[in-house]
Amino acid sequence: MAVSDAELTVEVTGPVATVVISNPARRNALTPAMWRQLPLLLDRLEADPRVRALVLTGAAGTFCAGADLGDLDELLEAGDASIAVAAEERLAAFGRPTVAAISGACVGGGCQLAVACDLRLAAADARFGVPPARLGLVYPAPTTRRLARLVGPSAAKHLLFTAELIDAGRALRIGLVDEVLPPDDLAARVGAVTATIAERSRLTVAAAKEIVDERADADRIAWWHGQVRESGEAREGVAAANERRPPRFDWTPPTR
């Protein structure tokens, strides 16, 4: 996975996988090799039955300063078919809940990946920006639409038109992040959130993710309701609530 000092590292601890972006010489900017590697890592983690949640973060107090623009010709030629968009789409489609744990710079490609996660928890020192207007680039259409769905058209336009950096407080106000924590508390809070998710019904969580993301058509939604009836998850949940004990949810995603 390593390219010089630039690498993506993966650690699975219990039910939580953590992917760390590390490129210390470039404030964790993503090289082409790192963009290409991310979907492969996600494929592997999605196939791991232990993994019930995924955290994406950056090394050494910085999330990601963007894409390494060393090969500009490749970027201009690819347009919306770029390796960055492919990585973003794979992250958005990951079959388990994803949480971006954000400290320091979260700019350009870093912001692109953070927005593709299900949840974003930020340290108070985090800074966010979408810089294509400073570079003369067109932000990819899938990325632009995902940003606008998250923060609304006006806030998205402000980020895109001005290319200004915003602080964590403003990011929270516009809905770009879900929580802002003191830097020393971020890791513990991310751990608590992912631990809670891992305790919940995987069936409920997986169905909710597909439906919220508008990836489930009517037939798929009917399939989910069928899974509830066949799995016994709801009966177990109600019985656990009545008996005042933790539920023992055992549904696992069927192999497609």
Side-chain angles (χ1 to χ4, degrees):
M1 287 180 290
V3 178
S4 180
D5 291 329
E7 62 180 349
L8 298 174
T9 62
V10 179
E11 180 179 352
V12 178
T13 304
V16 179
T18 301
V19 176
V20 180
I21 303 165
S22 180
N23 185 359
R26 300 293 302 275
R27 293 196 304 156
N28 296 341
L30 284 147
T31 65
M34 293 164 77
W35 284 114
R36 292 188 179 95
Q37 188 65 29
L38 183 58
L40 302 177
L41 293 180
L42 296 173
D43 288 345
R44 192 182 84 199
L45 292 171
E46 192 169 70
D48 187 335
R50 297 174 299 168
V51 174
R52 301 185 69 160
L54 181 139
V55 175
L56 180 67
T57 193
T62 296
F63 185 74
C64 174
D68 188 326
L69 299 177
D71 194 345
L72 183 59
D73 289 339
E74 178 182 345
L75 179 68
L76 296 177
E77 181 69 25
D80 282 0
S82 72
I83 54 177
V85 173
E88 171 195 357
E89 292 294 322
R90 181 64 187 91
L91 178 60
F94 189 72
R96 319 287 161 73
T98 55
V99 180
I102 304 164
S103 298
C106 180
V107 180
C111 196
Q112 181 177 359
L113 290 180
V115 170
C117 289
D118 297 311
L119 302 174
R120 285 151 297 282
L121 276 59
D125 66 358
R127 297 293 181 269
F128 302 83
V130 183
R134 285 195 283 105
L135 303 170
L137 299 170
V138 174
Y139 210 40
T143 310
T144 300
R145 294 186 185 111
R146 182 169 283 115
L147 176 65
R149 286 195 301 269
L150 181 64
V151 303
S154 182
K157 288 174 182 176
H158 182 272
L159 290 167
L160 289 160
F161 293 175
T162 67
E164 292 178 345
L165 290 178
I166 64 171
D167 62 21
R170 182 166 181 177
L172 181 64
R173 290 193 296 274
I174 67 174
L176 184 57
V177 299
D178 301 291
E179 296 183 28
V180 174
L181 291 307
D184 291 343
D185 295 345
L186 178 62
R189 178 58 180 154
V190 170
V193 169
T194 53
T196 297
I197 291 170
E199 293 173 354
R200 303 307 187 210
S201 166
R202 293 181 73 175
L203 193 161
T204 301
V205 170
K209 176 165 178 166
E210 280 195 12
I211 294 168
V212 170
D213 290 348
E214 299 183 346
R215 295 178 182 272
D217 60 15
D219 289 342
R220 181 67 172 175
I221 293 169
W223 181 86
W224 281 117
H225 287 300
Q227 288 291 295
V228 173
R229 292 190 296 270
E230 296 169 13
S231 66
E233 290 279 282
R235 292 185 183 87
E236 168 59 18
V238 171
N242 289 337
E243 297 165 14
R244 298 185 179 182
R245 61 170 174 80
R248 294 183 289 271
F249 294 124
D250 58 9
W251 179 89
T252 56
T255 303
R256 294 194 187 184

